[in-house]
Amino acid sequence: MFLGILKESAAGETRVALLPDSLKTLRAQDIDITVEAGAGSASGASDTAYIEAGAQVTTDRDSILAQADLLPTVNTLPAHDQAKLKRRAVVVGFLRPLDAPGELVTAIARPTTLFSMELVPRISRAQSMDALSSMATVAGYKAVIAAADRLPRLFPMLMTAAGTIPPARVFVIGAGVAGLQAIATARRLGAVVEAYDVRAAAGEQVRSLGAKFLDVDLGGIATEGGGGYAAELTEEALDRGRDLITKTAAHSDVVITTAQVPGRPAPRLIRGDAVEAMRPGSVLVDLAAPAGGNCELTKPGVTQDIGGVTLLAPMNMPAEIPVHASQLYARNILNFLALIVKKGALSVDLDDEVLAGACVAHEGRPVNPRVAKLLETTLSTK
Ligand code: NAD
């Protein structure tokens, strides 16, 4: 069997799907591995390190696409690459099947088997494959560091002979994986932290990190969807959160916002007037920018100065810490591959709950029912 590792082609992408350290168990099964030259260089993995781990390195990207039976990737391949894939190849990566299903049609028709790391079910057995959580951890940490770097103030309280400096106030919106990591990082830097989430269950986790949880009375509506994720709220319920956010943002130095609902545009939680009411010099980091953003004024990928408030809207925060983002992702991928590679051969059993959940398409047809429905709509409107 041939496994290919490509140099990611998306603009600004620095991660790689597998690192040299990850190749040992695959090589032990006699799997031939070919790596595109430079694939790991931004993540600290040289071509030589891949060769020493038993892989071959080539500059011929097309030959990898044509030969690979198994292709772990970070991002969806562009359509011109999908058209060159070996028929019946298996591709595993962040394929964005719920956000951009139309970008997968060439690969589906080839046909190929597509597994999306975003769709791996959140059950205990699959925790070691939870790449969304890995990337959210990295993004939550880096968001605080990026904010601290921009903030014209110190984070910790300092008592010096020249006077006392109060601690920075950080407000985290969405206390999931990224939000909790942001809270922990801001606390380590000495900030006073407040956090808000629609899921009441997040309250205990927030408090255990030494932050204050802000409760909003949402009138007893269900705020939890499946798999530990939040449900999409009505405009009326969202408004109650927006009022609290406007009030809290006004006395915060840093706002980090991470709220997401899987497969839906990010909820618009921060109104323009909330940003205008923030103090000049304060910083807002919108980690939901790839899903459109939590702030009304966010322009995904663009850093703005809005009346002295810096608004960051990073599209790929994990790529800013490529070494550890790749290390965590490669481990998640390797654990996933263990489900579909047995004794050096591909063996895809769609009766396995994890594989069935993560499978976007197999034998030319969509498998995941949500993706199937989205594809139907996408294709009929083309
Ligand atoms: P996510 O990235 O989808 O969303 C981030 C946060 O935004 C969530 O905490 C969500 O509740 C919050 N949010 C959504 N809409 C909001 C709104 N209108 N206002 C305020 N907050 C809003 O979620 P995530 O971080 O990937 O995971 C959420 C939770 O899932 C985790 O905290 C954890 O409890 C659970 N989880 C379970 C597993 C598992 O394997 N069982 C793995 C990872 C996470």
Side-chain angles (χ1 to χ4, degrees), residues 76-365:
T76 309
L77 298 174
H80 60 85
D81 278 345
Q82 293 179 26
K84 294 173 189 158
L85 284 167
K86 183 172 179 177
R87 286 168 59 82
R88 310 207 179 278
V90 175
V91 182
V92 185
F94 282 130
L95 305 184
R96 305 181 58 223
L98 300 178
D99 308 321
E103 287 178 21
L104 298 172
V105 289
T106 309
I108 294 174
R110 196 84 185 104
T112 56
T113 298
L114 304 178
F115 288 107
S116 153
M117 293 304 279
E118 295 97 323
L119 295 179
V120 168
R122 284 187 153 176
I123 55 173
S124 338
R125 186 164 74 84
Q127 261 181 8
S128 65
M129 306 159 206
D130 186 353
L132 280 182
S133 289
S134 298
M135 297 306 108
T137 301
V138 174
Y141 163 86
K142 181 68 182 180
V144 174
I145 303 301
D149 189 36
R150 300 269 180 165
L151 193 70
R153 308 169 68 95
L154 292 163
F155 256 50
M157 183 176 94
L158 291 183
M159 294 168 93
T160 78
T164 299
I165 287 173
R169 298 186 73 106
V170 174
F171 179 28
V172 175
I173 302 166
V177 180
L180 291 173
Q181 187 56 235
I183 294 169
T185 305
R187 292 283 301 139
R188 276 185 224 123
L189 286 178
V192 169
V193 184
E194 296 176 291
Y196 166 63
D197 197 296
V198 278
R199 293 177 304 109
E204 204 181 311
Q205 290 167 310
V206 166
R207 284 187 286 271
S208 74
L209 292 170
K212 182 175 169 192
F213 187 68
L214 305 175
D215 257 322
V216 178
D217 179 7
L218 295 175
I221 57 162
T223 56
E224 296 222 10
Y229 290 112
E232 194 170 23
L233 301 188
T234 60
E235 270 305 305
E236 191 204 337
L238 283 173
D239 257 341
R240 297 194 191 192
R242 288 178 184 126
D243 291 342
L244 170 97
I245 287 166
T246 304
K247 233 169 59 196
T248 312
H251 66 237
S252 301
D253 299 300
V254 169
V255 177
I256 295 188
T257 178
T258 73
Q260 304 231 34
V261 177
R264 304 290 309 147
R268 284 290 158 92
L269 295 171
I270 309 178
R271 301 187 194 107
D273 59 3
V275 180
E276 280 150 23
M278 285 173 72
R279 291 194 293 244
S282 47
V283 182
L284 196 161
V285 184
D286 193 343
L287 279 188
N294 288 143
C295 175
E296 221 167 66
L297 303 181
T298 290
K299 292 183 184 155
V302 178
T303 297
Q304 302 179 74
D305 180 327
I306 298 166
V309 176
T310 304
L311 169 48
L312 302 175
M315 288 300 281
N316 189 354
M317 206 51 135
E320 294 189 27
I321 309 193
V323 170
H324 283 140
S326 296
Q327 189 176 312
L328 295 172
Y329 186 65
R331 187 56 58 87
N332 295 138
I333 284 279
L334 198 60
N335 289 328
F336 187 88
L337 295 188
L339 298 182
I340 55 171
V341 178
K342 308 280 179 208
K343 294 187 181 147
L346 276 169
S347 156
V348 174
D349 171 12
L350 290 181
D351 287 334
D352 180 316
E353 184 185 2
V354 176
L355 295 182
C359 190
V360 174
H362 182 59
E363 294 179 346
R365 279 188 302 278

